[in-house]
């Protein structure tokens, strides 16, 4: 019992653990241990970020996707998904609405939609950059060659989100079709870093076939990459995917890993994700109390909200952007934190 409390102290002091220690800690977590972890995680979070929670406005601009990831509701093979893509003017008006609501970071996310070519995306970024010079632009548009990432960066993008999904290559192959390679995805992350993006990576908690040993590899990869942001959330099955019968990831393991990541990378920007809010009504608040410091309310137009469904029962699909923001802000204030509209660049630069 004490041994695991000591491991948490060691993690705080040395900011890392061995693979064997990670796996042991994850296997032997308990409510008492979690409580201890969260109290230290909150201390670290407060030391660097106070009680500030950063807001990012998420614009899900296309759910067309050439990929066929087994867990994902917008995979190419899902013929039931209602596909949409937003045109440039609609995306810009989402940004305008978001700006009015106080957002100073726009996260542009989509499936890997071939109709958004490198030129089209770069032009879109350029327009947003020109119209909103004081905002950060975050892209989350999948795998591209380095030259394309460079083109988006030169057009004015600052940050890039690309989850590595799992560090273990065999595990990666169980979650993805053979056309997608774990190594390629990691290379994308290194390329993004080299170009100068603030990079976010991450994985699903409780993904099918995940083990504590695989999670240990994920933690070591996070340490090695040292990203500015880490996005983790529970896996949630989607009814029209091959993983429809697989169990969802749990709240307790997700919170535990959030706390661990806060201790390992104390300055990291760590979202309490929509998936976490989906598996539990207070998921995002509990995430913040475990060490998370970012929330990403949806800025997509209301008429397409319900179509960007990576998993079942996604929250906030019926809300207006303003409602979404207000309800979240109230919940965050209620637990003693405040939302801030600053750009919120990582301290980990
Ligand atoms: N449950 C939870 N998260 C999912 N993602 C994709 N499908 C699911 C699902 N069924 C995550 C992946 C991807 C991110 C955009 O969403 O980790 O990188």
């Amino acid at each position: 019992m004490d041994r695991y409390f000591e491991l948490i102290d060691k993690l705080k002091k040395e900011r890392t653990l061995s693979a064997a220690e990670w796996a042991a800690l994850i296997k032997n977590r308990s409510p008492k241990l979690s409580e201890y972890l969260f109290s230290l995680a909150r201390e670290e979070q407060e030391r660097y970020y106070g009680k500030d929670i950063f807001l990012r406005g998420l614009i899900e601009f296309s759910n067309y996707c050439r990929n066929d990831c087994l867990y994902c509701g917008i995979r190419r093979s899902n013929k039931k998904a209602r596909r949409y893509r937003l045109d440039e003017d609609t995306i810009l008006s989402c940004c305008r609405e978001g700006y009015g609501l106080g957002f100073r970071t726009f996260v542009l996310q989509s499936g890997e939609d071939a109709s958004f070519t490198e030129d089209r995306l770069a032009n879109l970024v350029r327009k947003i950059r020109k119209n909103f010079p004081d905002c950060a632009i975050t892209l989350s548009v999948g795998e591209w060659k380095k030259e394309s990432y460079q083109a988006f960066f030169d057009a004015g993008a600052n940050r890039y989100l690309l989850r590595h999904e799992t560090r273990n290559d065999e595990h990666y192959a169980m979650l993805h079709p053979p056309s997608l390679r774990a190594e390629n995805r990691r290379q994308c992350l290194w390329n993004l870093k080299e170009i100068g993006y603030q990079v976010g990576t991450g994985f699903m908690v409780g993904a099918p076939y995940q083990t504590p040993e695989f999670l240990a590899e994920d933690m070591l990869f996070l340490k090695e990459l040292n990203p500015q942001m880490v996005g983790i959330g529970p896996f949630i099955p989607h009814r029209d995917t091959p993983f429809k019968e697989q169990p969802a990831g749990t709240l307790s393991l997700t919170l535990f890993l959030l706390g661990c990541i806060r201790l390992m990378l104390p300055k990291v920007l760590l979202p309490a994700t929509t998936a976490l809010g989906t598996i539990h009504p207070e998921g995002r608040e509990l995430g913040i109390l475990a060490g998370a410091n970012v929330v990403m309310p949806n800025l997509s137009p209301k008429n397409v909200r319900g179509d960007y469904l990576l998993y079942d029962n996604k929250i906030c699909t019926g809300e207006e952007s303003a409602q979404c923001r207000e309800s979240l802000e109230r919940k965050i204030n209620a637990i003693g934190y405040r939302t801030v509209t600053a750009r919120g660049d990582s301290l980990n630069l």
Side-chain angles (χ1 to χ4, degrees), residues 46-64:
E46 253 195 271
R47 174 189 337 267
Y48 295 108
Y49 293 106
K51 294 282 193 184
D52 290 353
I53 302 297
F54 298 102
L55 289 173
R56 277 69 165 102
L58 179 61
I59 303 168
E60 297 156 334
F61 67 91
S62 166
N63 69 352
Y64 283 87

Side-chain angles (χ1 to χ4, degrees), residues 153-326:
F153 188 81
D154 294 341
N158 316 93
R159 308 180 186 148
Y160 205 99
L161 308 180
L162 185 75
R163 291 185 177 179
H164 68 284
E165 308 297 355
T166 171
R167 173 60 187 84
N168 184 279
D169 293 359
E170 282 84 57
H171 187 214
Y172 194 91
M174 295 179 213
L175 304 178
H176 300 93
S179 56
L180 293 173
R181 315 293 303 178
E183 201 193 327
N184 192 50
R185 202 160 180 92
R186 291 194 297 273
Q187 188 57 53
C188 286
L189 286 163
W190 293 113
N191 290 345
L192 288 161
K193 263 205 125 173
E194 218 168 270
I195 290 167
Y197 282 95
Q198 298 174 41
V199 170
T201 197
F203 54 88
M204 293 180 292
V205 178
Y209 316 112
Q210 189 175 66
T211 63
E213 286 73 21
F214 292 164
L215 284 171
E217 291 184 55
D218 289 321
M219 297 307 274
L220 293 179
F221 177 67
L222 293 181
K223 188 70 196 174
E224 182 192 352
L225 183 69
N226 189 26
Q228 283 77 28
M229 301 164 276
V230 175
I232 66 164
F235 161 73
I236 304 173
H238 184 290
R239 67 183 99 244
D240 302 314
T241 63
F243 289 164
K244 58 172 174 276
E245 310 283 359
Q246 297 279 345
T250 64
L251 177 72
S252 71
L253 182 55
T254 307
L255 297 176
F256 191 80
L257 292 170
L258 283 171
C260 288
I261 293 167
R262 172 61 64 207
L263 286 194
M264 179 170 75
L265 304 169
K267 296 180 182 173
V268 83
L269 289 159
L270 196 56
T273 57
T274 306
L276 186 57
T278 295
I279 57 160
H280 188 282
E282 273 104 51
R284 284 178 299 183
E285 296 88 307
L286 292 167
I288 290 168
L289 294 169
N293 66 337
V294 174
V295 287
M296 299 168 63
N298 203 311
L299 282 182
S300 308
K302 203 177 157 180
N303 64 315
V304 300
R305 285 282 178 91
D307 294 327
Y308 200 86
L309 299 178
L310 310 186
Y311 45 80
D312 289 338
N313 306 318
K314 184 180 176 192
I315 54 170
C316 296
T317 51
E319 284 183 318
E320 301 284 356
S321 305
Q323 290 174 320
C324 214
R325 197 214 135 135
E326 277 166 27

Side-chain angles (χ1 to χ4, degrees), residues 27 58 97 110 130 345:
K27 278 183 206 160
L58 179 61
E97 186 184 2
S110 71
K130 184 160 164 271
D345 286 292

